[in-house]
Structure formats: C-alpha cells, structure tokens
Amino acid sequence: MPLPNNFSPAEHLQDTIRRTYNPEVREWFSDITTDDPDINTPRASLRTACTHAEMDTMDMTLSRMLLFDMLIKQRWNQGIVSGDRDLNYRVLRRTRPQVTLYFLEDLEDVEPGYDPVSGEISFRLMTQTSTTFSNSEALALANKIKTEFGTGQGFVWRKGKELCSYTDWDKGYQLQLLVRSEAEARTLIGKVLDLQSHTPDWEFFNRIENGSPSEAFPTIPPRETILGKSRRLPRRRPIAEVRFQYATVKLAGLAKPVYLFDRSGRYDSALVPSYRT
C-alpha cells in the first residue's frame, strides 16, 4: 500500500516514538501514580523530563531519550537508588510477562477535529517467566479476557477526569485509571484482577482528586499560535467511552507481543481471534 500524499516521515517517527518509548518511561517510573506529577520532587521531575511530548522537536526527543538511557545505566551501576525499591526486584518485575488490554473510542462517537480516545491497562504475571508461561496457560488467559471484556459488543470503559490507582507490586499491579467515579474504578479493577483470580485488597486503592478539574482538564482545550497558526492544544483527560479491542502479552526474548484475544478483527494470529467469539 503506497504512503499517503501528506505522509511526513518526521511526524511518523515522532508518533512511533511516543507510542513505544513513553510506555517504557511510565513503567520505569511506575511508582508515580499521577499523570500530572509534582516536578518539585526528584523522581517526578525526572519522569517529566524523560517523557516525550507531542510538540517536541526532534532534538528535544533525542535529548529525552538520552537522559532516560543514562538513568537506566546509572541505576545498573549503583545497584540501589536512594528512595527506590531494591533494583534487583524492579528488574525482576520488568522481566515478568506483561499483559496489556487495549481500548478505543467508537468512530461514530469521536468529536470532530479530534482523534479517537484510546486506553490501555497493563499488569504483570508475577508467578510466570517467559520460559514457564505455556501455550495452554496463554490460551486459558485469552479465554478469561474474552469472558471478562470481549463478550457482546465488548466492555466499555467510561473514561473521565478522576484518577484512581491500584498498586500491588507483589502481584504485578500498578494500575492508573481515568474514570468518572470511584465506583466505576473499583468495578474495572475487580475485572482486571479476576483475570488472575485475585481478590482486590482495597488497602492498595487510591483516589487522586484535582482541586479544579474543569480548569486543569478543560473539555475544550484552549488555542495557541504555533508556527503562525492558531491551533487547538491536545485534550487532557477527555471524557469518552472506550471499548475493549484486543489483548496482548509481552514476553522477554520475543521481539513482538503475542496476541491473546482479539475482538476487533485485526489480528488473525490471536490465540482467540474475532471469528471465534
């Protein structure tokens, strides 16, 4: 298929970096449970500096990546970083299979002038490694995901401006969910944990409330003049309903993720593809 006439290699590269590099940054700083960290704290400042932003120049992008690479090398050399958990444990966690659930706003619901709102929820299989996780266990997990999220028209996650988190390191959870109510967050957390037959321990649950969400995260963002044109700034915490699409598991040693269950019809290689729903 030929490239579109308006294809920009630079924009395509920046978009790919944002989709592949930023999740690694979030994972490395996963102890920070808000998407608006206080940069007066050292780790929050570092995460902000490392995170690729939509309006970055290529020089800025490369600088962020170099900084992040330097941090990782520094931690390997130090072994334990002040204020962090033991590095060996953090590295151990990063090698466990990572399951990701993907959600996307229905095209007919997308506001004109905006891209569809998406959502991801990831967790680790802490009792497994890439060598112990078997095909039969992967298939069983795929069918559980189908039951919890893929039946009917697919589970709908009602995203909002309220940030709720659930952090249980030992069981592989560091969930950060934008929702419309605490009750909806608890329901969604329960469904995710049920995939591993875990019962939520609400001691690990937190609700982070902004003092003025309508001003901090306006439904219609303001405009700014960029390169001589008035442009709408990206939305922050948009209100949208995102529907479950597919799930993957990332295994150390494999270049590409394994598609577990797909109800979108995109991935015929999924262990449980859409035509078996």
Side-chain angles (χ1 to χ4, degrees):
M1 181 176 179
L3 296 174
N5 293 331
N6 62 347
F7 177 75
S8 168
E11 289 185 10
H12 177 258
L13 175 59
Q14 294 275 57
D15 183 61
T16 303
I17 290 172
R18 186 165 55 252
R19 287 186 288 105
T20 57
Y21 162 77
N22 275 359
E24 289 295 318
V25 174
R26 287 195 298 270
E27 175 68 21
W28 192 258
F29 292 97
S30 58
D31 55 301
I32 300 174
T33 58
T34 175
D35 56 355
D36 299 298
D38 179 4
I39 61 172
N40 291 316
T41 60
R43 280 184 57 73
S45 177
L46 283 172
R47 196 191 83 161
T48 300
C50 290
T51 302
H52 173 73
E54 186 172 357
M55 302 306 296
D56 281 352
T57 63
M58 188 59 71
D59 286 344
M60 180 68 80
T61 299
L62 292 174
S63 297
R64 294 189 194 277
M65 297 179 76
L66 286 171
L67 173 61
F68 186 56
D69 184 58
M70 181 187 71
L71 288 175
I72 294 175
K73 289 179 179 177
Q74 197 175 59
R75 292 186 180 191
W76 273 103
N77 291 334
Q78 291 178 350
I80 297 178
V81 179
S82 176
D84 280 350
R85 298 179 61 133
D86 182 87
L87 178 60
N88 291 332
Y89 179 82
R90 292 177 65 85
V91 172
L92 175 68
R93 183 176 181 273
R94 285 172 58 83
T95 62
R96 294 307 192 223
Q98 182 181 36
V99 178
T100 304
L101 312 175
Y102 294 88
F103 299 77
L104 187 67
E105 185 179 15
D106 293 341
L107 291 180
E108 58 268 26
D109 294 336
V110 177
E111 290 287 337
Y114 293 103
D115 292 331
V117 177
S118 61
E120 295 182 14
I121 300 175
S122 295
F123 59 92
R124 299 278 181 176
L125 305 178
M126 296 300 289
T127 61
Q128 299 283 359
T129 67
S130 59
T131 56
T132 63
F133 190 53
S134 67
N135 287 326
S136 61
E137 288 169 322
L139 182 59
L141 177 59
N143 280 305
K144 281 188 176 182
I145 293 172
K146 172 185 173 182
T147 300
E148 289 287 348
F149 292 95
T151 56
Q153 298 300 309
F155 178 82
V156 173
W157 167 12
R158 287 160 38 93
K159 297 190 74 173
K161 301 184 185 300
E162 195 167 307
L163 178 63
C164 294
S165 67
Y166 184 88
T167 305
D168 186 346
W169 288 85
D170 292 336
K171 291 185 177 178
Y173 301 111
Q174 208 283 311
L175 308 179
Q176 298 182 51
L177 306 172
L178 290 171
V179 293
R180 303 187 196 178
S181 70
E182 180 177 327
E184 289 182 303
R186 289 175 180 265
T187 297
L188 184 50
I189 289 167
K191 291 178 72 68
V192 173
L193 268 62
D194 196 49
L195 297 176
Q196 295 191 84
S197 299
H198 290 159
T199 301
D201 181 346
W202 298 116
E203 176 187 354
F204 299 123
F205 178 84
N206 284 287
R207 175 174 171 266
I208 303 168
E209 186 175 3
N210 185 276
S212 182
S214 60
E215 294 182 13
F217 317 111
T219 301
I220 301 177
R223 289 181 173 272
E224 284 191 2
T225 301
I226 302 172
L227 296 178
K229 291 185 178 180
S230 176
R231 304 174 191 267
R232 184 77 68 186
L233 295 179
R235 290 183 294 180
R236 301 176 63 201
R237 301 190 182 184
I239 295 175
E241 295 185 351
V242 293
R243 192 180 305 276
F244 174 76
Q245 301 296 314
Y246 59 92
T248 66
V249 60
K250 187 185 297 183
L251 301 171
L254 293 183
K256 296 182 179 180
V258 175
Y259 290 88
L260 294 169
F261 168 65
D262 171 42
R263 61 162 296 277
S264 70
R266 301 182 203 173
Y267 304 105
D268 290 337
S269 62
L271 299 181
V272 179
S274 58
Y275 57 79
R276 286 174 52 185
T277 62

